[in-house]
């Protein structure tokens, strides 16, 4: 089926305005998927390559405008408040897939496929269908960023999604996720887009807010939204003087002052935003002289000292780690994987091999797993059966066994092989 025909079919099925179509699915309706398998045993430069097996995988297709997978800073959590975690999988399609573990079948299924509330309305490719004119959003109303967290400060989690030109929150009603509210970031038709969102207490008032980032085609770089009980309202903004796009932000206390900061990659600069009561005060941690995009910014403790470091990825196959030394941010580690795909947003931290020490998981077209040895980071494991530019590399307890798994998904460079999503588990 050609691109135009598929576009016509999807618009005819899904074009909607102001409400959500959502399809709850049962354990046996999750699409093309495969069960567990074991990696081939190999040894590469002293790095273990046979430690992680595939617990689940799915091919989303080979059409890059529909099938590529995107990342969100907080894709794991108890979205339906049943005491068990769910996993969000999004991409260049109008669906936010809520994945749930089925302990009986020992696999994951789509608990619900949430559709962008304004899919088919807006800018993009113009087409005629059944005497109506539609403009398909680019990239097709996709979930550019998403989080599971207590967005409304009611003690229960919601799902937050940056859909392109708007942010939407969804709440579990007992049998499905329904839209709680939307905040329109831009109603222009100039291709501007949000790029991500994260939930946390950026202003240290004891309640969560939503940080929505953009900067793409004149969309605001940083918007702070707060739920007032009825709707989302803008609480603060920050505009990058260099108009740099901001992907994959983070909220954490990275300067050890007892207050959270917002960490962003604004174009080719790594910036920490301190909230000073009436606005953000930026600190430029590092500006890269070459033309590159700072993508992932994760503030977690990877050295085991109880203090978060800043882990940074790029539109190149690189990883940089910065730590506050008492007066400034100091780079404590740098790595480049020559000849591999860009790291972009593929970064997360957690104890993925159950040794009571956290590891850093970084995706290129492969997944490099590093651990702090007291002085620097050593690469312990390599997952090398993946392919494509692994935008998604996240860590969480997806199957609720109190052990962490790794979710990996490709956003680019897969050819005709298809955009895969994998879940890897240690010693499967």
């Amino acid at each position: 089926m050609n691109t135009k025909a598929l576009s016509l079919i999807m618009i005819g099925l899904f074009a909607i305005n102001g409400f959500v179509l959502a399809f709850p699915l049962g354990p046996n309706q999750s699409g093309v998927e495969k069960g567990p398998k074991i990696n081939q045993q190999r040894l590469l430069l002293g790095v273990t390559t046979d430690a992680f097996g595939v617990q689940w995988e799915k091919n989303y297709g080979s059409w890059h405008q529909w099938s590529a997978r995107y990342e969100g800073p907080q894709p794991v959590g108890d979205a339906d408040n049943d005491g068990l975690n769910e996993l969000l999988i999004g991409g260049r399609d109008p669906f936010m897939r809520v994945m749930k573990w089925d302990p009986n079948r020992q696999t994951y299924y789509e608990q619900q496929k949430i559709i962008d509330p304004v899919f088919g309305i807006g800018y993009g490719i113009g087409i005629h269908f059944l005497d109506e004119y539609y403009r398909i959003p680019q990239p097709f109303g996709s979930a550019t960023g998403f989080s599971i967290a207590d967005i409304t400060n009611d003690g229960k989690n919601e799902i937050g999604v940056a859909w392109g030109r708007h942010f939407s929150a969804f709440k579990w009603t007992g049998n499905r996720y329904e839209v709680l509210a939307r905040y329109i970031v831009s109603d222009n038709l100039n291709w501007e887009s949000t790029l991500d969102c994260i939930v946390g207490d950026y202003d240290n008032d004891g309640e969560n807010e939503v940080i929505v980032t953009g900067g793409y085609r004149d969309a605001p770089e940083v918007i702070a939204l707060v739920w007032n009980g009825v709707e989302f309202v803008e609480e603060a903004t920050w505009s990058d003087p260099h108009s740099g796009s901001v992907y994959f932000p983070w909220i954490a206390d990275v300067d050890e002052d007892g207050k959270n900061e917002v960490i962003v990659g604004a174009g080719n600069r790594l910036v920490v935003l301190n909230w000073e009561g009436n606005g953000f005060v930026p600190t430029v941690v590092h500006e890269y002289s070459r033309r590159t995009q700072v993508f992932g910014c994760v503030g977690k403790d990877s050295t085991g000292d109880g203090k978060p470091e800043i882990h940074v990825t790029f539109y190149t196959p690189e990883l940089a780690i910065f730590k506050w030394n008492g007066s400034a941010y100091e780079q404590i580690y740098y790595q480049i994987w020559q000849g591999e795909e860009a790291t972009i947003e593929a970064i997360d931290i957690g104890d993925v091999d159950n040794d009571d020490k956290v590891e850093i998981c970084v995706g290129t077209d492969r997944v490099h797993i590093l651990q702090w040895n007291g002085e620097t980071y050593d690469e312990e494991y390599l997952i090398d059966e993946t392919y494509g530019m692994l935008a998604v590399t996240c860590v969480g307890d997806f199957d609720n066994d109190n052990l962490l798994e790794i979710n990996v998904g490709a956003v680019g460079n897969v050819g005709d092989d298809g955009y895969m999503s994998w879940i890897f588990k240690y010693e499967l």
Side-chain angles (χ1 to χ4, degrees):
M1 181 178 293
N2 62 37
T3 299
K4 182 178 180 181
L6 183 55
S7 299
L8 293 173
I9 291 171
M10 295 311 298
I11 287 298
L13 291 175
F14 301 127
I16 52 178
N17 185 11
F19 62 95
V20 176
L21 293 178
F23 301 103
L25 298 178
N28 297 311
Q29 298 174 284
S30 56
V32 179
E33 60 185 46
K34 298 180 181 179
K37 67 179 182 180
I38 302 299
N39 294 353
Q40 295 180 351
Q41 294 191 3
R42 297 185 300 276
L43 204 63
L44 178 65
L45 301 176
V47 178
T48 303
T49 59
D50 63 345
F52 293 85
V54 177
Q55 186 185 44
W56 174 89
E57 64 182 19
K58 180 174 179 178
N59 191 323
Y60 288 93
S62 59
W63 185 22
H64 74 282
Q65 287 283 34
W66 187 267
S67 307
R69 297 300 91 194
Y70 280 155
E71 175 68 290
Q74 298 160 314
V76 188
D78 184 5
D80 59 6
N81 301 289
D82 67 347
L84 301 172
N85 283 340
E86 285 77 41
L87 169 67
L88 302 180
I89 295 181
R92 281 188 194 157
D93 54 33
F95 308 120
M96 182 77 268
R97 293 169 169 87
V98 186
M99 307 299 296
K100 198 170 184 70
W101 174 252
D102 181 352
N104 295 322
R105 294 178 61 237
Q106 292 288 293
T107 190
Y108 298 88
Y109 66 95
E110 289 179 3
Q111 181 190 36
Q112 185 166 319
K113 189 180 287 180
I114 303 171
I115 297 182
D116 178 2
V118 295
F119 172 60
I121 309 300
Y123 61 93
I125 301 172
I127 64 170
H128 283 89
F129 180 66
L130 299 178
D131 296 324
E132 296 290 338
Y133 182 76
Y134 298 95
R135 297 186 70 83
I136 308 174
Q138 290 285 346
F140 296 115
S142 58
T144 56
F146 35 88
S147 294
I148 298 174
D150 183 6
I151 300 172
T152 62
N153 297 290
D154 65 350
K156 296 181 179 180
N157 288 334
E158 294 82 29
I159 295 174
V161 186
W163 283 110
R165 292 201 308 277
H166 67 98
F167 170 83
S168 296
F170 301 86
K171 198 169 189 68
W172 180 252
T173 65
N175 59 8
R176 58 182 282 149
Y177 297 94
E178 292 187 353
V179 65
L180 175 68
R182 290 193 296 126
Y183 180 88
I184 306 301
V185 175
S186 173
D187 57 6
N188 294 323
L189 303 180
N190 296 322
W191 292 75
E192 65 269 37
S193 176
T194 63
L195 296 173
D196 228 317
C197 64
I198 189 168
V199 180
D201 184 10
Y202 82 90
D203 60 0
N204 304 286
D205 65 351
E207 295 194 340
N208 285 335
E209 296 83 29
V210 183
I211 296 292
V212 180
T213 62
Y216 182 77
R217 299 287 182 103
D218 298 326
E221 282 82 4
V222 174
I223 303 174
L225 303 177
V226 63
W227 177 252
N228 67 5
V230 178
E231 61 184 353
F232 290 104
V233 296
E234 180 183 298
E235 192 173 62
T237 63
W238 177 73
S239 296
D240 178 27
H242 300 279
S243 299
S245 294
V246 177
Y247 300 82
F248 207 84
W250 205 262
I251 300 173
D253 178 14
V254 289
D255 63 2
E256 303 172 27
D257 66 349
K259 299 179 180 180
N260 285 333
E261 291 79 39
V262 179
I263 307 103
V264 298
N268 67 337
R269 299 179 306 145
L270 174 62
V271 181
V272 173
L273 301 175
N274 290 269
W275 180 253
E276 297 297 342
N278 58 0
F280 288 108
V281 177
T283 297
V284 178
V285 176
H286 196 86
E287 183 170 351
Y288 294 86
S289 57
R290 64 190 186 283
R291 187 175 183 179
T292 188
Q293 172 71 51
V294 178
F295 264 88
C297 300
V298 172
K300 290 186 179 181
D301 177 18
S302 62
T303 62
D305 66 352
K307 302 171 183 178
E309 291 76 38
I310 303 175
H311 307 77
V312 189
T313 51
F314 307 85
Y315 195 55
T316 45
E318 297 176 81
L319 167 68
I321 303 175
F322 293 85
K323 191 174 186 65
W324 181 255
N325 64 15
S327 59
Y329 296 98
E330 175 185 355
Q331 182 172 290
I332 63 171
Y333 184 78
Y334 170 79
Q335 176 69 50
I336 183 169
W337 291 280
Q338 294 284 3
E340 298 186 20
E341 297 287 354
T343 51
I344 51 175
E345 299 174 344
I347 175 73
D348 206 352
I349 291 94
D351 179 12
V352 294
D353 65 356
N354 315 313
D355 65 350
D356 296 324
K357 297 179 181 178
V358 300
E359 287 80 32
I360 302 173
C361 300
V362 187
T364 56
D365 50 305
R366 307 189 283 180
V367 181
H368 299 269
I369 302 175
L370 298 82
Q371 188 175 78
W372 180 253
N373 67 12
E375 296 181 357
T376 188
Y377 295 90
D378 294 326
E379 185 165 328
E380 281 191 302
Y381 310 101
L382 178 69
I383 298 174
D384 63 350
E385 63 186 87
T386 53
Y387 62 86
M389 189 185 298
L390 302 179
V392 182
T393 302
C394 71
V395 171
D397 181 9
F398 314 137
D399 61 7
N400 299 290
D401 65 349
N402 296 315
L403 303 174
L404 300 183
E405 295 80 40
I406 306 171
N407 176 220
V408 181
V411 75
N413 301 347
V414 302
D416 295 328
D417 293 328
Y419 290 88
M420 294 290 298
S421 182
W422 297 268
I423 294 178
F424 291 95
K425 192 173 186 67
Y426 181 69
E427 290 187 342
L428 182 65

